[in-house]
Amino acid sequence: MTEPDDKLHWLVRPETIKKLWWGGCLLLALTVLAQFVFGFEGYFGIDGWFGFGAVFGFLSCLAMVLFTKGLGYLLKRPENYYDPVDHDD
Amino acid sequence: MTDFSPALIMLAAALVIALTRGTLRTAVLMIAPVVTLWAVWQIEDGVQASLFFLDYVIEPVEGSPLRRLFATIFAGMALLGGLFAYRTAKWQELAAAYAYSAGAIGVSFAGDLITMFLFWEIMALFSTVIVWCGGTPAARTAGIRYAIMHLSGGVILKVGIEGLAIQTGSVDIRPLLATDFNTWMILAGLLINAAAPPVSAWLADAYPESSATGTVFLSAFTTKTAVLALILLYPGESVLIGIGLYMIMHGIIFALLENDARRILAYSIINQVGFMVCAIGIGTEMALNGAAAHAFAHIIYKALLMMSAGVVLYRTGKSRCTELGGLYRTMPLTCICGIIGALAISSFPLTSGFTTKTLISQAAADQQLLWTYLLLTAASAGVFLHAGIKYPWFVFFQKDSGLRPKDAPWNMGLAMVIAAAVCILLGVFPDLLYPLLPYEMDYHPYKAGKVIFYLQLLLFSGLAFFILLPLMKRTETISLDTDWLWRRLGVSIALGIGRVMGFFGGLLTSQRKNVQGSVKQFTVNYLGQPHTADSEERSIFGRSWQIGTTALWIALLLSAYILVYYR
């Protein structure tokens, strides 16, 4: 961005983004720590482990993104892939 | 007490919408769904009307809590979509949309398979018109593929229905299991409309080609009607668990690959319907309640998401993530409504997604289906990834695309605000919806431990999104889905067959010409009668022979005959 910081929308100024990251991390920590107060026994045992939701959520997303990235090499095509071509030639 | 299908009100409204203009049309657009809603709630439980057709008992109107629930949301969605669309959509699209919703409401109350099939085909026809109303060459070809898919699905369904009618003598709608050819055909016909594999690509192919308003209607009816039909006909059919889980993952993965915002949302329909199909496969009362409640909530928040994407398309003419970004500056209402829809689809606490989708997870847990439960939970994280964050992030935030479009027109804004309000209302007061579900249940979604679990799951998915953002850089590409089979492989095979046939055709033609040439030459040489009196120039058998030569030949032949005869 070539615009000076004070001309940027407040939401995209670097200091706001820094605050959002800190706030977000605090929120994440709180949701995990809250499990000390509000226990969740889970339905199968394993899902009641401390921080299971956090770890499982993060790892599932990691797995899905990596799988998608790999699949992308196989399946991605240019946007005009299906455009009509002259089949008469 | 009423004995006519409320679908007829919407059909009549569609006709009037097609014939009128201006204020009168707007009035019909707004009033007809309200009258339909009233009529829906006049239908009592059980068969309300029956007649005979070709020795079969036809039951065009049968009431039950489940049927009323679906008809309510279909009529409500027509009203909401009508409000969203009426100032910008073509009259053909509006009329088709109301006829399309009439089809969905007709299926909701169909007591027999023949009535169901009739309204099923009405839906196929008029939804095709909506796809065509996209107005682009791409919409035209996508509409043709869409129509072929749904008419073929209709044929498969019809084969199953007729087989079942002959086998059992009844066309009544009742719980079945896929045990033989007929019941498998009916199941396959229903699953095609539910966008199940291997043909799920029809949805992501056709819906995003419709207009900014058309997608709102399309997202509501076809797949959810199939969900209703599956609840009525195949509750507890365990094959649906696997199909549903596949749909859930297919939707997530392809939505992550996708660049077009409306196609991302189309893939997330496949994902969400997967949750419902899986619940129907589990088949307990809790699971079927979950499928019905989730369908109800899904129609509203998916319409909300499609509306926000529709407003962006309407204002900017763009739908690709690579061309969008930073729209929160000038479109705050659309942005906030889009975020509410995105939170609801991600089943964030205090939204309708949380109070409905957790019913399905609860049902899986009650049945001790560990892997199903874990996959559903992973999928909830995945939904937040692909629809909950990816969609609003790339459209409204991401980078500054330089676009400064105006926010939504008042009617589109109002429709979005109503939908967003319902998403939150059902999330905060789930007891508004739970009594309408088909089975009684004692379920409390808001237990502190469970809310914390879901917050962990979703917020850490969010963390994963922002950490992995470099891996998800949008590219100007499309991804091959199963529609490649008929758009490329099928076409190539057809062209290949054409080429082989052409080769043999050419070979035959050249051989025929050779034979023709030889025969002609032979004829000219031996039998020909050239236009000349000079017998020397004539061919051998065409010449005039001297009388003596002829007499000699006759004598020779007669002698040969006598020799052979008396030997």
Side-chain angles (χ1 to χ4, degrees):
Chain A
M1 294 276 181
T2 49
E3 288 177 87
D5 283 359
D6 56 335
K7 277 201 181 160
L8 283 174
H9 190 281
W10 63 268
L11 196 59
V12 287
R13 284 180 206 150
E15 64 263 37
T16 319
I17 291 171
K18 196 177 267 180
K19 278 179 201 158
L20 282 174
W21 268 105
W22 277 112
C25 290
L26 189 69
L27 195 65
L28 291 173
L30 279 178
T31 57
V32 177
L33 293 176
Q35 217 177 336
F36 282 121
V37 187
F38 306 104
F40 178 55
E41 67 276 23
Y43 303 107
F44 299 94
I46 181 174
D47 54 335
W49 290 359
F50 182 75
F52 179 82
V55 175
F56 190 69
F58 188 87
L59 291 183
S60 326
C61 288
L62 183 67
M64 284 182 222
V65 169
L66 291 180
F67 179 73
T68 305
K69 190 78 187 160
L71 200 64
Y73 291 115
L74 199 65
L75 295 183
K76 280 192 177 181
R77 292 290 184 279
E79 285 178 336
N80 62 1
Y81 179 75
Y82 284 123
D83 284 358
V85 286
D86 195 6
H87 288 300
D88 295 335
D89 53 23
Chain B
M1 169 75 202
T2 172
D3 56 2
F4 73 97
S5 178
L8 301 179
I9 300 175
M10 290 302 277
L11 266 186
L15 191 65
V16 178
I17 289 165
L19 296 175
T20 56
R21 295 286 176 276
T23 322
L24 183 58
R25 187 170 80 190
T26 310
V28 174
L29 276 163
M30 296 298 122
I31 293 168
V34 179
V35 177
T36 309
L37 273 175
W38 172 81
V40 163
W41 284 92
Q42 301 307 307
I43 294 175
E44 293 165 10
D45 288 358
V47 178
Q48 302 299 320
S50 61
L51 49 117
F52 285 94
F53 171 72
L54 301 178
D55 290 344
Y56 293 113
V57 184
I58 302 295
E59 295 162 351
V61 189
E62 182 179 341
S64 77
L66 178 71
R67 293 163 179 273
R68 278 193 299 271
L69 181 75
F70 273 84
T72 302
I73 190 61
F74 290 147
M77 193 51 235
L79 179 63
L80 207 57
L83 174 64
F84 181 79
Y86 84 94
R87 288 174 68 212
T88 44
K90 297 176 190 161
W91 68 266
Q92 296 95 326
E93 186 179 298
L94 291 170
Y98 273 48
Y100 179 29
S101 73
I105 293 168
V107 172
S108 306
F109 288 117
D112 67 281
L113 292 164
I114 293 176
T115 310
M116 188 189 91
F117 178 76
L118 197 69
F119 284 111
W120 199 264
E121 293 301 295
I122 287 179
M123 289 173 60
L125 291 179
F126 287 104
S127 53
T128 306
V129 175
I130 298 180
V131 177
W132 276 332
C133 282
T136 58
R140 198 176 61 84
T141 51
I144 293 170
R145 287 192 295 273
Y146 177 88
I148 292 173
M149 180 60 68
H150 285 272
L151 296 179
S152 318
V155 170
I156 292 173
L157 182 63
K158 191 79 169 67
V159 168
I161 291 173
E162 288 186 357
L164 191 74
I166 291 167
Q167 191 185 18
T168 65
S170 163
V171 289
D172 201 32
I173 288 186
R174 58 201 186 272
L176 303 167
L177 283 175
T179 47
D180 57 13
F181 178 76
N182 300 325
T183 43
W184 269 109
M185 290 298 267
I186 294 178
L187 183 61
L190 300 182
L191 283 173
I192 287 175
N193 268 27
V199 294
S200 53
W202 67 256
L203 195 155
D205 175 23
Y207 284 6
E209 300 298 345
S210 65
S211 72
T213 49
T215 332
V216 176
F217 292 109
L218 288 170
S219 72
F221 300 119
T222 300
T223 48
K224 262 60 76 182
T225 317
V227 167
L228 170 64
L230 286 170
I231 297 177
L232 290 171
L233 288 165
Y234 292 94
E237 170 55 65
S238 52
V239 72
L240 293 176
I241 297 180
I243 292 175
L245 288 173
Y246 176 84
M247 288 170 71
I248 289 172
M249 292 302 166
H250 184 91
I252 293 174
I253 300 297
F254 276 81
L256 285 174
L257 285 169
E258 189 53 55
N259 182 31
D260 185 296
R262 297 202 307 156
R263 199 154 269 137
I264 292 174
L265 296 179
Y267 274 116
S268 83
I269 297 179
I270 300 175
N271 159 275
Q272 295 289 299
V273 173
F275 278 96
M276 300 166 211
V277 171
C278 179
I280 300 166
I282 296 172
T284 58
E285 291 191 351
M286 175 69 88
L288 297 179
N289 270 354
H294 194 219
F296 190 95
H298 167 79
I299 287 176
I300 301 167
Y301 58 65
K302 181 42 58 75
L304 175 57
L305 286 164
M306 286 296 189
M307 283 181 199
S308 67
V311 171
V312 170
L313 177 68
Y314 172 65
R315 285 299 195 201
T316 66
K318 296 175 199 303
S319 176
R320 292 190 193 90
C321 291
T322 40
E323 298 174 331
L324 294 169
L327 299 184
Y328 70 92
R329 291 178 177 82
T330 56
M331 304 183 89
L333 180 72
T334 311
C335 174
I336 290 170
C337 288
I339 290 175
I340 292 174
L343 290 176
I345 200 174
S346 316
S347 63
F348 222 82
L350 300 182
T351 65
S352 55
F354 183 77
T355 52
T356 57
K357 198 159 73 184
T358 50
L359 285 169
I360 299 173
S361 297
Q362 181 72 45
D366 289 347
Q367 295 303 106
Q368 290 295 306
L369 301 168
L370 173 63
W371 287 106
T372 306
Y373 176 78
L374 284 180
L375 282 172
L376 287 174
T377 308
S380 298
V383 175
F384 193 49
L385 196 66
H386 84 265
I389 311 185
K390 182 184 169 181
Y391 165 71
W393 172 258
F394 281 108
V395 173
F396 296 107
F397 300 100
Q398 192 200 169
K399 59 179 186 336
D400 185 2
S401 60
L403 298 168
R404 295 290 184 271
K406 281 201 283 188
D407 209 334
W410 73 265
N411 63 313
M412 292 184 168
L414 181 62
M416 286 194 294
V417 168
I418 293 172
V422 176
C423 287
I424 293 174
L425 197 68
L426 294 181
V428 178
F429 304 106
D431 286 333
L432 292 172
L433 178 63
Y434 289 169
L436 305 180
L437 298 178
Y439 302 103
E440 275 188 33
M441 60 175 182
D442 181 30
Y443 178 71
H444 304 286
Y446 290 110
K447 288 180 186 149
K450 193 162 153 184
V451 172
I452 294 294
F453 176 80
Y454 272 91
L455 282 177
Q456 280 184 14
L457 185 79
L458 297 177
L459 292 177
F460 275 84
S461 309
L463 177 69
F465 177 86
F466 286 107
I467 288 178
L468 301 172
L469 206 49
L471 288 179
M472 287 192 277
K473 194 171 167 352
R474 294 296 83 219
T475 49
E476 291 189 341
T477 50
I478 58 159
S479 305
L480 301 184
D481 197 347
T482 48
D483 57 347
W484 179 83
L485 292 175
W486 52 91
R487 292 174 73 178
R488 262 301 167 91
L489 187 66
V491 172
S492 301
I493 289 174
L495 287 175
I497 291 174
R499 252 181 235 124
V500 171
M501 298 304 260
F503 170 74
F504 281 113
L507 206 64
L508 275 178
T509 309
S510 65
Q511 289 306 311
R512 196 194 68 221
K513 279 186 181 149
N514 283 349
V515 170
Q516 272 178 341
S518 324
V519 169
K520 190 178 168 204
Q521 204 52 49
F522 175 84
T523 315
V524 168
N525 286 351
Y526 294 96
L527 306 172
Q529 290 271 10
H531 51 278
T532 165
D534 183 358
S535 76
E536 287 305 314
E537 285 189 7
R538 294 185 180 184
S539 55
I540 296 170
F541 293 107
R543 289 177 196 153
S544 319
W545 294 81
Q546 287 181 349
I547 196 86
T549 317
T550 311
L552 179 65
W553 273 108
I554 291 172
L556 277 172
L557 282 171
L558 275 174
S559 315
Y561 173 75
I562 290 164
L563 273 174
V564 171
Y565 191 81
Y566 288 105
R567 194 165 61 93

